[in-house]
Amino acid sequence: MSNTLIVLRQQLQAMANPALQQSSQRFFKESVKMYGIKTPDVITLAKKSFKTIQDQSKTEIWQLCEQLWQSGYLEESFIACQLCYLLRKQYDETDWSVFEKWIDNYVTNWASCDTFCNHSVGTFVERYPHFVQQLKKWAYAKNLWLRRAGAVTLIIPARKGLFLPDIFAIADILLQDEEDLVQKGYGWLLKAASQAHQQEVFDYVMAHKQAMPRTALRYAIEKMPPELKAQAMKKE
């Protein structure tokens, strides 16, 4: 696995684009370490790498993912996310503590958070639905990335119409969070839920719009018809 990591980093360095590295910083409030490589190219590299290690144990691949996360590089985090997702059929309940550790210790930006949570963690929660209760605990965390993760993990399940009571419970916890990236996270979650439950989400927004930050409100109603948007945005 150490050789795999060396080869991956050599390939990333060869693909690095300083101009893209600089221009990509505008998408983040915080300074983000990156090589400057387009995401589809990073995912292609991750899939090629997986073919060389797919016969290794999950524990060994988790160790490789941990080393990738530890680097702090955006692209290495994306590779870790992709390798993890490619092992989704092997997930078991013991993996939760591993995933939680990665978010709490290594996630430092919205892109890594969303890439990991939308796919790997979301798939895990669909398979083991009782872990949705852990997302509510994340929503109370001091770490803003755990709080955002508590919401964005359910984006894809929400689009399928799943977990609606839990989604509202998470939104309740995060309702007046001061971090705009958390506001955007639960607003996005409500927007995703509105695809299958438009009326229920609209009713929730109307009941909470006096307390809900405008950032979250705008995200939540983005996919709704103009007349519902107008009602939601109208100041009382």
Side-chain angles (χ1 to χ4, degrees):
M1 280 299 182
S2 60
N3 187 59
T4 300
L5 186 61
I6 291 169
V7 171
L8 271 172
R9 287 178 172 160
Q10 288 173 341
Q11 291 172 312
L12 288 167
Q13 288 164 1
M15 297 163 68
N17 182 333
L20 183 60
Q21 177 193 46
Q22 187 172 7
S23 65
S24 297
Q25 288 288 343
R26 71 186 188 276
F27 296 112
F28 303 93
K29 292 196 304 181
E30 57 282 315
S31 178
V32 176
K33 286 174 63 178
M34 63 180 84
Y35 293 93
I37 306 170
K38 292 181 179 179
T39 301
D41 294 334
V42 176
I43 299 306
T44 297
L45 177 59
K47 289 178 178 178
K48 287 181 180 177
S49 180
F50 182 73
K51 290 180 181 179
T52 69
I53 62 171
Q54 59 187 340
D55 294 331
Q56 303 294 322
S57 70
K58 184 175 71 174
T59 298
E60 289 175 303
I61 295 176
W62 276 186
Q63 290 172 350
L64 174 61
C65 290
E66 178 108 9
Q67 290 176 298
L68 289 162
W69 277 113
Q70 287 173 342
S71 76
Y73 275 93
L74 183 67
E75 292 90 348
E76 292 195 30
S77 79
F78 286 173
I79 293 174
C81 292
Q82 185 64 31
L83 295 178
C84 182
Y85 186 64
L86 289 169
L87 279 184
R88 60 192 178 277
K89 291 182 180 179
Q90 296 186 39
Y91 292 171
D92 62 58
E93 294 193 28
T94 65
D95 293 321
W96 182 262
S97 60
V98 176
F99 296 170
E100 183 175 55
K101 174 189 174 184
W102 289 348
I103 298 168
D104 197 23
N105 291 343
Y106 306 129
V107 169
T108 59
N109 61 79
W110 63 263
S112 296
C113 182
D114 297 357
T115 300
F116 185 47
C117 294
N118 285 178
H119 303 289
S120 295
V121 188
T123 297
F124 181 98
V125 173
E126 278 199 60
R127 182 169 302 168
Y128 303 108
H130 60 282
F131 276 87
V132 76
Q133 302 304 322
Q134 298 300 315
L135 298 181
K136 296 171 189 176
K137 293 181 180 179
W138 286 4
Y140 285 111
K142 290 182 179 180
N143 185 331
L144 81 89
W145 303 115
L146 276 174
R147 300 203 304 279
R148 183 176 172 100
V152 302
T153 289
L154 293 181
I155 296 294
I156 293 175
R159 291 172 182 160
K160 300 175 184 178
L162 303 174
F163 297 111
L164 188 63
D166 302 295
I167 288 167
F168 289 149
I170 289 167
D172 283 346
I173 298 167
L174 298 175
L175 192 66
Q176 294 184 300
D177 198 287
E178 294 181 356
E179 291 285 348
D180 71 322
L181 286 168
V182 177
Q183 296 170 17
K184 290 174 181 177
Y186 86 78
W188 181 21
L189 176 59
L190 291 171
K191 175 173 66 177
S194 75
Q195 293 180 225
H197 298 288
Q198 180 179 277
Q199 188 60 50
E200 292 94 332
V201 173
F202 177 73
D203 291 343
Y204 179 88
V205 168
M206 292 300 291
H208 295 84
K209 72 174 193 172
Q210 297 303 316
M212 187 181 293
R214 300 296 272 187
T215 298
L217 177 60
R218 290 190 185 96
Y219 268 73
I221 64 175
E222 187 177 341
K223 295 289 186 180
M224 293 186 183
E227 61 273 16
L228 296 185
K229 285 185 181 180
Q231 288 184 57
M233 292 298 292
K234 184 179 179 181
K235 293 184 178 180
E236 300 297 333

